[in-house]
Amino acid sequence: MPQPPRSPLPDDLPFALSLRRVNRGVGYVALFLPVILIALTIFTNTCFNQSISHYYYSRIGGDIFVGALTFIGLLLAFFYSFRTKAVDGYLRHYWYDIWLIKLAGVSAFLIAYSPTTGSGCEYTGAEAARTFITSASGLAPPASGVTGALSYDMWATFPAFGTPDNVPMLLQSLHFGGAAVMFTILGYFSYFVFTRINSFASVVEGSRKGFRNLWYRALGVLIFGCVAIMGGAAILTKLILSPEAAQAFLQAWNHWRLTFLLESVALMSFGLSWMIKGRFIKTFEDGAEH
């Protein structure tokens, strides 16, 4: 007579969990987000926005942007455990590394839910943008029309502020600060954490650790480089150049969509780094893992 199954422990699940699958999932989403937004621009008459963040205000693109950042944020903030010394592949992940990756997850939420300001595009009558409305009236039936001012500043729509000039600097900085923190931590993981000896297979015959580390370091440098260039451009326009020179600089910068380009390189570098950590192809596997 078969015995009834034992009562499951709180963490028991009827399926196998794999950190490699989690890493691949995070990596695929990060890698393909810029690609999907470009495809959306081409095939749905969506404006080619100045940055990935500005797709928040586009049709469909806003849902994809927020959904992707939420997915990444949830996994980074809640999935990784502090018991890394018992997990092969994560043996040299220290407690502060886990706090940092959780902070990166929280930063992803800030990027998604404290959107950037400005339209990021010159919209025409053939396109439609999702905007906020300040001083709105006529929203409730049986009113037939809606009046109010369109706004691309979420915080300015709160009655406590009223205008962008009244929004505290802390709230204005949440989006850009979150992006800077997230990308810096992800670059740190790629360059410093993933290159450590984290598994037994990486120190025996057939190890491809050296080959993986070349990729990890190159991708980490790309992430750090993109952050440095965007940070340097912000310092240049806000603190160094005259208002006229700063405006001319930003016009050229936005014309070539350099923020979108740099964000895409950083995101795709992060995604590929996590995919390598998840061994998305056998080229990156150690001999002992086959």
Side-chain angles (χ1 to χ4, degrees):
M1 182 175 180
Q3 297 295 318
R6 64 183 178 85
S7 298
L9 295 173
D11 289 336
D12 280 357
L13 295 171
F15 51 85
L17 288 175
S18 168
L19 273 173
R20 286 190 177 179
R21 292 195 188 101
V22 172
N23 289 330
R24 289 199 295 269
V26 170
Y28 286 134
V29 171
L31 181 74
F32 287 109
L33 176 58
V35 177
I36 293 172
L37 294 178
I38 291 173
L40 190 72
T41 297
I42 296 171
F43 297 111
T44 66
N45 194 35
T46 297
C47 176
F48 186 12
N49 282 265
Q50 295 170 3
S51 72
I52 289 177
S53 296
H54 279 106
Y55 275 88
Y56 178 94
Y57 299 105
S58 69
R59 298 170 299 172
I60 307 175
D63 300 320
I64 294 172
F65 170 76
V66 172
L69 267 295
T70 301
F71 176 83
I72 291 172
L74 283 171
L75 290 184
L76 295 184
F78 296 108
F79 196 86
Y80 293 90
S81 168
F82 288 94
R83 295 175 292 180
T84 57
K85 292 185 178 180
V87 181
D88 189 41
Y90 301 84
L91 302 176
R92 296 282 301 278
H93 284 51
Y94 302 117
W95 64 267
Y96 52 83
D97 297 323
I98 304 303
W99 277 118
L100 285 174
I101 203 62
K102 291 180 180 296
L103 177 58
V106 173
S107 299
F109 293 141
L110 291 179
I111 298 170
Y113 295 102
S114 181
T116 189
T117 57
S119 65
C121 186
E122 294 182 3
Y123 286 99
T124 67
E127 299 167 309
R130 304 194 309 181
T131 65
F132 299 103
I133 301 178
T134 60
S135 304
S137 63
L139 292 172
S144 58
V146 178
T147 61
L150 298 181
S151 174
Y152 293 96
D153 189 331
M154 181 188 75
W155 295 111
T157 64
F158 282 65
F161 307 128
T163 66
D165 294 336
N166 295 331
V167 177
M169 182 60 68
L170 176 62
L171 295 180
Q172 293 178 9
S173 304
L174 285 179
H175 181 87
F176 303 104
V181 169
M182 186 187 78
F183 279 123
T184 300
I185 293 174
L186 297 177
Y188 163 78
F189 259 74
S190 185
Y191 196 92
F192 295 104
V193 179
F194 289 170
T195 52
R196 299 171 189 161
I197 302 297
N198 286 301
S199 68
F200 296 106
S202 62
V203 294
V204 299
E205 185 177 355
S207 169
R208 308 220 70 187
K209 180 64 174 172
F211 177 64
R212 291 195 300 273
N213 281 359
L214 289 175
W215 280 89
Y216 288 143
R217 290 194 174 100
L219 295 168
V221 167
L222 282 174
I223 296 172
F224 285 138
C226 291
V227 172
I229 293 172
M230 288 188 286
I235 292 172
L236 192 65
T237 55
K238 293 182 181 299
L239 301 178
I240 298 176
L241 296 178
S242 66
E244 296 78 13
Q247 184 177 7
F249 178 89
L250 287 174
Q251 285 179 346
W253 179 278
N254 292 330
H255 173 76
W256 294 104
R257 299 298 191 262
L258 294 183
T259 299
F260 182 95
L261 174 63
L262 291 167
E263 288 176 338
S264 297
V265 171
L267 262 178
M268 297 175 82
S269 297
F270 151 52
L272 185 55
S273 180
W274 251 251
M275 288 162 62
I276 294 172
K277 183 66 175 175
R279 308 293 195 273
F280 75 107
I281 55 175
K282 291 187 180 296
T283 305
F284 295 104
E285 290 185 357
D286 294 317
E289 295 174 337
H290 293 164

